Amino acid sequence: MSRKEIVVSNVSEEHSNSIAELVQVACRFDSDITLESNNRRINAKSIMGIMAFNPSKGMTVNIVAEGSDEEEALVAMEKFLVCE
């Protein structure tokens, strides 16, 4: 299992449909990916979960990935959420 804490940038300004695009990034990987913040934990491959989670600028989020491509998944999710 890989884990990384990040601070979310302004994803809604950088991406036209940030929620759907974030789910698409997560779905490219076989690993299970979850996002955690303030005692909430959601599946990053669930559009309804992401909508409820609502990652927004300044939010501290733990990205957790577990599986065969967890390191790549972690990097891709971080790049999206910090707008690199």
Side-chain angles (χ1 to χ4, degrees):
M1 178 180 359
S2 297
R3 171 185 299 266
K4 178 135 190 202
E5 182 176 276
I6 57 108
V7 176
V8 178
S9 292
N10 199 350
V11 291
S12 60
E13 281 187 11
E14 296 292 323
H15 303 281
S16 58
N17 190 352
S18 58
I19 291 172
E21 290 177 43
L22 180 58
V23 172
Q24 288 175 344
V25 170
C27 287
R28 292 194 323 233
F29 301 95
D30 292 328
S31 294
D32 292 327
I33 305 168
T34 56
L35 301 179
E36 302 172 347
S37 182
N38 296 328
N39 295 321
R40 294 183 302 159
R41 185 174 190 194
I42 59 100
N43 177 354
K45 296 180 182 180
S46 164
I47 196 157
M48 296 303 285
I50 295 291
M51 288 173 67
F53 192 73
N54 191 29
S56 52
K57 184 177 181 179
M59 183 178 193
T60 300
V61 174
N62 281 305
I63 306 167
V64 182
E66 185 170 6
S68 61
D69 54 1
E70 64 188 44
E71 290 296 328
E72 296 89 351
L74 197 67
V75 168
M77 294 296 288
E78 178 185 10
K79 284 184 177 182
F80 186 91
L81 289 167
V82 300
C83 300
E84 285 184 356

